[in-house]
Each structure stands twice: as structure tokens, then as C-alpha cells.
């Protein structure tokens, strides 16, 4: 195993050029095309026998003819690091191995989001397989809040646990972990959130974002860190002869959980994360995990599961239990092997997800109205608060508001004089560090996070001071980002070039996510055929082709929006269109369609 990672971050800056002369699109964006070094592009095309447009996409991602093959064919054997390079990893693995061999009770303290649920289910599945099924505790978001608390840790000790592993939490839980240590409990922290110089006083702290950590794998989700812990534990148990008679767990079969948690935690899908997700999606496609299969069924997914399904269909249902329901349902669903139990839990999660959607819509409408006033006033970071806004949806609402105002957003739900808040940021503005600084300045009850997301608790009478603090701290970064970003185009194409063969090449660049965005294509001067209403919010569009036939396209949630008005007004004419090529596999078909996310007039 190699401790040196493949490229951990693809080119994010790079050079951009005007695209099709579009300076103001239907969405008010300037189109800018990502450029690539032509010599590198030609070398990739020639060595790998790829179309020029695909070679261009690879070159623009910072790849060359030597590194592109590993990107297109990610292999875990070459990419997986020796987990022992992480501080405290060997110590933690040895302690867990002792517990397994000596029959000591292990407990897992999880988080209620998808990263936490997958991490808890991952550890539970492995430990159960080696005969040490652990207790699992996930706090109630409303009653206990985020992260370890002393009463819960001490209760686990009273129930017989001697070793407690926190997953996706714990890096800032100094007092609760100190209380557990004083009671004789050994706490192993497995986390990935931003740390402070002082570490919690537990037995071991595994976190690639420890300030004294030299690991290059800073962007791992917690479930990725937990997987490395299992690799180390498995190696230690093997060294001790635990599997001499067989029975060694198949770690690779657990990668579906790693993929799900990594995608849903919105960490960069580059380097090791890309490999873990790529291999995990292959496992997920078999639907061997009863919980994932049940969630796919309630979501009516009848095609191979991918990153999109994980992030937008399966993940939200797992998240829903922690937001508005029973926080333990997520890990339980993902850890069960009983199809009947999985179906019952998935149905409950689906119901909670519908409840979450209704609550979210109500809070979102109020939050947008308040946020737009602050954005219009030029505030660098928008902070909006509402009485009795459900704390389980403030994170989702913050994400939606960021899309509207193009700057970091914090959303706070207030009840009984206390605000529970969540924030989402934009590239270049480290919100997690700002929240930690606000807590250190005495403005928050608690808080933490990472660059793009944070959570916090604040007294109602300190919300305004907190809002001023983070706005002042992040103002330079937000100003440098330039407000609402231009629309980045990866390549320009004629509508006739949007073929199934080209899409097959594009699909080799998947999985898509942060750091490896799905290619956005501009269709130059596309002819607009019929434009039909689909449902209440969507428009279906036909794009006639020069070679005959038509390219199917759809513009989601465009009715009543500038994009929808532009499409309807130009029926029978031409528009430049920006969007994504996607497979259309409905009813056994294997065709290509175009998802429109912007349009612009054809000049000249």
C-alpha cells in the first residue's frame, strides 16, 4: 500500500476564456470556457485513443498522458495508503484488537447524518463479523445536539462498554471525553472535522485534519477514515492469527457504505476519495446491502446506482431520520441483513423524508426573503434566523440559499432562547475556521465544521454579534470570489455531436462531485423545436438535428423562471444552451438526453 496519494486536487483555477460571446444568459451569468494546454490535450488523445473533446476535459482537470490512465481506471490496490501513516492509527487498531480478542464490549458513538450513519454501520458490520458486535449510540438532534455528551458516554460505560469509538464527531468534545476518561473509559476519536491545537483527552485521535498531522489525505470523509481504521484493525488481527482458520471479513464488500457516506458528505471526489467511491459504486450496483437495496426500492430507482442516486435520492432519506425523525434509524438500516426489517425501516425513512421536504419548503421561503435583503445590502456572509425554524433542515436551507445569493450563508432556528445553526460556504471562504474562531471568541456555545460547512449553537442574544464576526472575518475571501460566479463551460459542441458514444466517454470521468464536476457542455446555436410542459415545473424540449431526428432535452424547475421563458419565447428559433449529457434508460432504452441549466441568445 502506498502512503503517497494520487493527485488530491484537480486543477480548480486554471484559465478561462469567453464562451460563445455570452456575457448575460437567461440566469444572468457570464459563460466562461475552461481552457486546457493544447499539447497536453493532444498527447492524451493520441496515447489513450480518445476524442479530442474528452482529452480536453482530462487536461483541464490537471491530468496529463501519464496520470490520465489511473484517473480513468481507478484501482484501490495502487491508491490505498498504509493506514499506519495516520497518527494514533496503530495505537487505536491495537486497542480494538485487544478488545476483540478479550471479549471486551465496544461501543460506537455516531452522528446523525449520512457520513455518521455509514461510519457507524461500517464499524458495526466489521466488528460483528469478527464476533464483537458493538453497541451503537446516535444522539437525538433536538434533545442532545451534535457530538459526544458526557451523560451518553457514561451510560455506555454503565452498560459495559470499555472502549468507545466516536465517528464523524468528537474532535472538539474535550469536556465529555474528559468525563469518560475519568470514569475509566477509553475513547477513540475517528473524525475529519477541523481540529484545534489541543486534542480531546481520549485514548487515541485519528483525524487527517489534526494540526500536527502530516497525512496528505485531508479531504477524506469520516467514513473514509473509519475504513482505514478497519484496514489497520484487520491487518493487526491477521498478524495475531485471528483468521488462521478462515473467517476474515471481506473489507472490499463494505465499500458501498464508504461510497455513500463520501458522496453525501460533499467532500472532493479526487484522489483517494475518487478511488473509494468508484470501487464502492461497483459494490453498490449489486445491491447486496439490504438497507441500500430497500432505499433504492422506495426511491423507485430502476437503473444502476451511481453517485447521483447516492447524493440526491438515497442520502436524503438516510439524513431525514436525524433531521426530523429517529436519529438511529439510518445506521440500523445500513447495518441490517434482514430484507424485511430493511423494507420497514426504509419506508419509515421515506416518510420522514417527505415530512422533511414540507418543513424545508416553509423555512426556505422565509429564509430566502430575509437573505436577499442582506445580500442586496452587500453583506459578505448572510445570517438569517427564525423562531421555531426546525434545526433539522437549517443545513439544507443554507445550501439552497447559497445558490441564490452566491455567498456564505448561516441559517439559525431559535427556540427557548437558543439558536441551532448550520452554515454553508463558497469556494475560498473557510466557514468552519470562522465558526471555530467565533466559539473561541466566546460568541458561541459550541461550534465547528470544515471549509464548506459548519454547525453551531448560539444564545439568541449573541446571534447578531456572531453574524457580524463571521461577516467581517470572511469579507476578504468573499470579495475575492467575486459574488455570483460565472457559469463554467467545459467544452462547446454542436447538438449533432451529442451522441451516446460521446456520453460513454464522459461517463468514464465519473463519479462526479466536488473537485470533479460533471462536464457542462454548451450546445452552440441549437435549434429549438417543441417545448412542452412536464408536470407543473419542468419543460421538455426537442432539439432538431442536422442529420435528422432530434435530441431530447429537459429543463427542470424552469416554469416561471427566466430559463423557461427564454425557451418558450425562442420556439422555432435558436439558442445557445448549457447543460449536461445524461443517459436516458427509461423502459429499456439506452439513449442520450440533454439537461438544460441555462440558455443565451445567439448574437450576430
Amino acid at each position: 500500500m502506498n502512503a503517497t496519494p494520487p493527485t488530491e486536487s484537480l486543477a480548480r483555477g486554471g484559465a478561462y476564456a469567453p464562451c460563445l460571446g455570452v456575457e448575460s444568459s437567461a440566469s444572468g451569468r457570464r459563460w466562461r470556457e475552461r481552457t486546457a494546454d493544447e499539447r497536453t490535450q493532444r498527447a492524451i488523445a493520441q496515447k489513450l485513443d480518445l476524442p479530442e473533446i474528452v482529452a480536453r476535459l482530462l487536461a483541464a482537470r490537471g491530468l496529463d498522458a501519464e496520470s490520465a490512465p489511473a484517473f480513468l481506471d481507478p484501482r484501490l490496490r495502487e491508491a490505498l495508503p498504509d493506514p499506519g501513516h495516520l497518527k494514533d492509527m496503530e495505537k487505536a487498531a491495537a486497542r480494538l484488537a485487544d478488545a476483540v480478542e478479550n471479549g471486551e464490549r465496544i461501543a460506537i458513538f455516531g452522528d446523525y447524518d449520512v457520513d455518521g450513519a455509514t461510519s457507524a454501520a461500517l464499524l458495526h458490520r466489521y466488528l460483528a463479523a469478527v464476533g464483537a458486535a458493538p453497541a451503537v449510540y446516535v444522539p437525538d438532534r433536538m434533545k442532545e445536539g451534535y457530538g459526544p455528551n458526557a451523560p451518553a458516554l457514561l451510560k455506555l460505560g454503565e452498560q459495559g462498554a470499555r472502549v468507545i469509538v466516536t465517528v464523524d464527531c468528537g474532535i472538539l468534545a474535550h469536556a465529555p471525553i474528559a468525563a469518560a476518561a475519568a470514569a475509566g473509559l477509553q475513547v477513540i476519536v475517528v473524525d475529519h472535522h477541523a481540529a484545534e491545537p489541543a486534542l480531546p483527552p481520549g485514548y487515541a485521535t485519528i483525524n487527517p485534519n489534526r494540526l500536527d498531522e502530516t497525512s496528505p489525505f485531508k479531504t477524506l470523509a469520516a467514513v473514509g477514515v473509519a475504513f482505514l481504521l478497519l484496514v489497520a484493525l484487520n491487518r493487526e488481527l491477521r498478524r495475531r492469527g485471528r483468521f488462521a482458520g478462515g473467517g476474515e471479513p471481506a473489507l472490499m464488500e463494505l465499500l458501498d457504505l464508504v461510497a455513500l457516506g463520501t458522496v453525501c458528505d460533499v467532500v472532493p471526489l479526487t484522489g483517494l476519495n475518487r478511488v473509494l467511491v468508484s470501487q464502492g459504486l461497483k459494490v453498490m450496483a449489486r445491491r447486496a446491502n439490504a438497507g441500500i437495496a430497500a432505499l433504492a426500492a422506495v426511491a423507485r430507482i430502476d437503473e444502476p446506482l451511481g453517485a447521483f442516486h447516492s447524493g440526491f435520492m438515497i442520502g436524503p432519506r438516510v439524513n431525514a431520520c436525524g433531521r426530523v425523525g429517529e436519529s438511529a434509524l439510518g445506521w440500523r438500516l445500513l447495518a441490517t441483513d434482514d430484507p424485511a426489517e430493511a423494507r420497514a425501516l426504509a419506508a419509515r425513512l421515506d416518510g420522514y423524508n417527505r415530512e422533511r421536504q414540507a418543513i424545508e419548503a416553509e423555512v426556505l421561503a422565509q429564509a430566502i426573503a430575509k437573505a436577499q435583503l442582506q445580500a442586496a445590502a452587500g453583506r459578505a456572509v448572510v445570517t438569517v434566523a427564525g423562531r421555531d425554524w426546525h434545526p433539522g433542515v437549517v443545513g439544507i436551507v443554507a445550501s439552497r440559499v447559497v445558490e441564490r445569493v452566491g455567498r456564505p450563508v448561516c441559517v439559525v432556528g431559535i427556540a427557548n432562547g437558543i439558536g441551532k445553526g448550520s452554515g454553508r460556504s463558497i469556494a475560498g471562504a473557510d466557514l468552519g475556521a470562522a465558526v471555530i474562531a467565533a466559539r473561541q471568541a466566546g460568541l458561541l456555545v459550541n461550534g465547528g465544521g470544515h471549509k464548506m460547512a459548519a454547525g453551531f449553537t448560539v444564545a439568541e442574544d449573541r446571534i447578531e454579534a456572531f453574524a457580524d464576526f463571521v461577516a467581517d472575518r470572511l469579507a476578504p475571501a468573499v470579495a475575492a470570489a467575486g459574488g455570483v460566479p460565472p457559469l463554467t463551460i467545459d467544452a462547446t459542441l454542436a447538438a449533432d455531436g451529442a451522441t451516446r458514444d460521446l456520453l460513454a466517454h464522459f461517463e468514464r470521468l465519473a463519479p462526479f462531485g466536488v473537485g470533479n464536476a460533471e462536464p457542462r457542455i454548451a450546445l452552440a446555436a441549437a435549434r429549438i423545436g417543441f417545448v412542452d410542459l412536464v408536470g407543473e415545473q419542468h419543460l421538455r424540449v426537442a432539439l432538431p438535428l442536422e442529420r435528422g431526428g432530434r435530441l431530447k432535452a429537459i429543463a427542470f424547475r424552469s416554469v416561471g423562471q427566466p430559463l423557461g421563458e427564454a425557451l418558450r419565447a425562442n420556439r422555432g428559433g435558436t439558442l445557445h444552451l448549457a447543460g449536461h449529457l445524461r443517459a436516458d434508460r427509461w423502459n429499456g432504452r439506452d439513449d442520450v438526453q440533454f439537461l438544460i441549466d441555462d440558455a443565451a441568445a445567439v448574437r450576430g
Side-chain angles (χ1 to χ4, degrees):
M1 291 182 289
N2 179 16
T4 302
T7 303
E8 276 297 311
S9 59
L10 302 178
R12 290 179 177 79
Y16 296 85
C19 180
L20 298 174
V22 176
E23 293 299 320
S24 181
S25 67
S27 66
R29 310 282 285 277
R30 295 176 292 114
W31 290 9
R32 293 295 180 263
E33 188 167 2
R34 195 191 309 270
T35 62
D37 181 76
E38 292 188 7
R39 292 179 60 184
T40 302
Q41 176 181 323
R42 287 196 299 271
I44 293 174
Q46 292 171 4
K47 181 174 181 177
L48 303 182
D49 191 25
L50 293 172
E52 286 289 336
I53 188 172
V54 179
R56 175 188 178 86
L57 295 176
L58 291 168
R61 282 160 167 72
L63 299 160
D64 57 26
E66 300 304 316
S67 59
F71 179 85
L72 293 172
D73 186 21
R75 297 175 182 270
L76 192 59
R77 181 174 298 176
E78 286 80 15
L80 189 68
D82 182 341
H85 83 282
L86 284 162
K87 294 184 184 300
D88 279 1
M89 178 65 82
E90 299 292 0
K91 182 180 180 182
R95 182 64 187 91
L96 288 173
D98 288 343
V100 170
E101 291 197 316
N102 298 331
E104 296 177 83
R105 189 68 191 272
I106 301 170
I108 299 166
F109 190 102
D111 186 27
Y112 32 65
D113 70 358
V114 182
D115 195 14
T118 52
S119 297
L122 179 75
L123 293 185
H124 187 280
R125 281 184 170 275
Y126 179 88
L127 290 170
V130 296
V136 178
Y137 186 91
V138 180
D140 183 284
R141 179 192 290 262
M142 300 295 289
K143 297 177 182 178
E144 299 172 87
Y146 168 79
N149 62 82
L153 294 177
L154 296 176
K155 183 178 180 181
L156 289 171
E158 292 168 1
Q159 294 172 347
R162 308 316 308 152
V163 181
I164 300 175
V165 184
T166 73
V167 288
D168 197 28
C169 58
I171 193 62
L172 299 178
H174 295 265
I177 291 176
L185 302 176
Q186 294 179 315
V187 179
I188 297 171
V189 173
V190 178
D191 205 349
H192 71 131
H193 292 101
E196 296 178 336
L199 296 173
Y203 182 81
T205 301
I206 307 169
N207 185 340
N209 290 300
R210 282 175 51 160
L211 298 187
D212 62 344
E213 180 60 79
T214 58
S215 171
F217 299 99
K218 306 294 186 184
T219 65
L220 282 172
V223 72
V225 182
F227 181 76
L228 292 183
L229 173 59
L230 290 187
V231 173
L233 173 58
N234 194 70
R235 182 171 61 186
E236 178 63 17
L237 289 173
R238 187 191 304 135
R239 186 186 68 78
R240 298 184 184 194
R242 179 80 179 187
F243 308 124
E248 182 171 343
L251 278 173
M252 298 305 105
E253 294 304 306
L254 300 176
L255 283 173
D256 51 359
L257 294 172
V258 181
L260 178 60
T262 300
V263 168
C264 292
D265 215 52
V266 200
V267 294
L269 295 189
T270 58
L272 180 56
N273 284 340
R274 173 177 172 79
V275 180
L276 290 171
V277 172
S278 296
Q279 298 304 316
L281 291 177
K282 294 177 183 177
V283 179
M284 192 183 295
R286 300 198 292 269
R287 305 195 186 198
N289 182 294
I292 292 177
L295 286 171
V298 298
R300 296 179 176 83
I301 303 171
D302 60 358
E303 58 185 344
L305 296 173
F308 173 81
H309 305 103
S310 297
F312 293 96
M313 302 177 79
I314 294 175
R317 288 171 166 82
V318 176
N319 259 334
C321 66
R323 297 188 185 281
V324 299
E326 304 163 70
S327 57
L329 291 186
W331 85 264
R332 285 177 52 198
L333 172 65
L334 297 172
T336 186
D337 288 319
D338 182 342
E341 181 185 19
R343 287 192 296 271
L345 291 174
R348 289 166 66 184
L349 287 174
D350 191 50
Y352 283 134
N353 191 52
R354 288 193 295 272
E355 181 181 347
R356 186 270 306 169
Q357 289 171 328
I359 296 170
E360 176 194 332
E362 181 178 350
V363 175
L364 178 61
Q366 299 175 49
I368 287 175
K370 295 184 178 185
Q372 288 176 332
L373 292 175
Q374 293 187 29
R379 194 170 182 86
V381 177
V382 167
T383 299
V384 295
R387 199 164 303 284
D388 295 324
W389 285 358
H390 197 297
V393 303
V394 292
I396 301 174
V397 169
S399 297
R400 301 286 187 267
V401 179
V402 168
E403 295 171 0
R404 298 291 188 97
V405 300
R407 65 197 67 199
V409 172
C410 293
V411 180
V412 186
I414 305 168
N416 301 319
I418 294 294
K420 298 291 183 68
S422 188
R424 298 295 184 268
S425 195
I426 60 174
D430 190 341
L431 183 60
V435 167
I436 290 173
R439 180 176 58 78
Q440 292 170 337
L443 298 174
L444 299 176
V445 176
N446 59 49
H450 49 76
K451 290 182 178 181
M452 298 300 290
F456 55 90
T457 302
V458 58
E460 183 175 2
D461 60 3
R462 306 305 298 274
I463 292 174
E464 186 174 347
F466 164 74
D468 290 341
F469 181 92
V470 294
D472 290 344
R473 184 179 177 93
L474 294 181
V478 174
V484 177
L487 191 71
T488 300
I489 305 294
D490 289 287
T492 303
L493 192 67
D496 279 72
T499 64
R500 188 65 187 84
D501 287 343
L502 180 62
L503 176 59
H505 283 293
F506 281 8
E507 288 174 335
R508 294 185 64 193
L509 276 62
F512 300 122
V514 175
N516 183 39
E518 181 180 8
R520 179 180 285 114
I521 304 301
L523 298 183
R527 291 191 292 158
I528 309 299
F530 66 73
V531 180
D532 286 347
L533 182 67
V534 178
E536 297 181 354
Q537 302 180 10
H538 319 306
L539 291 176
R540 180 177 57 188
V541 183
L543 307 178
L545 302 175
E546 295 294 333
R547 65 172 184 264
R550 63 194 184 195
L551 173 65
K552 291 183 293 184
I554 190 165
F556 289 113
R557 295 178 296 278
S558 60
V559 173
Q561 301 299 315
L563 173 58
E565 298 305 314
L567 291 169
R568 283 174 158 165
N570 285 275
R571 191 177 312 173
T574 60
L575 283 171
H576 298 314
L577 301 177
H580 306 281
L581 292 181
R582 293 273 180 86
D584 177 16
R585 297 189 174 99
W586 182 255
N587 281 341
R589 290 195 302 265
D590 189 8
D591 206 349
V592 63
Q593 63 179 335
F594 191 71
L595 273 60
I596 305 171
D597 55 26
D598 203 1
V602 178
R603 307 295 183 188

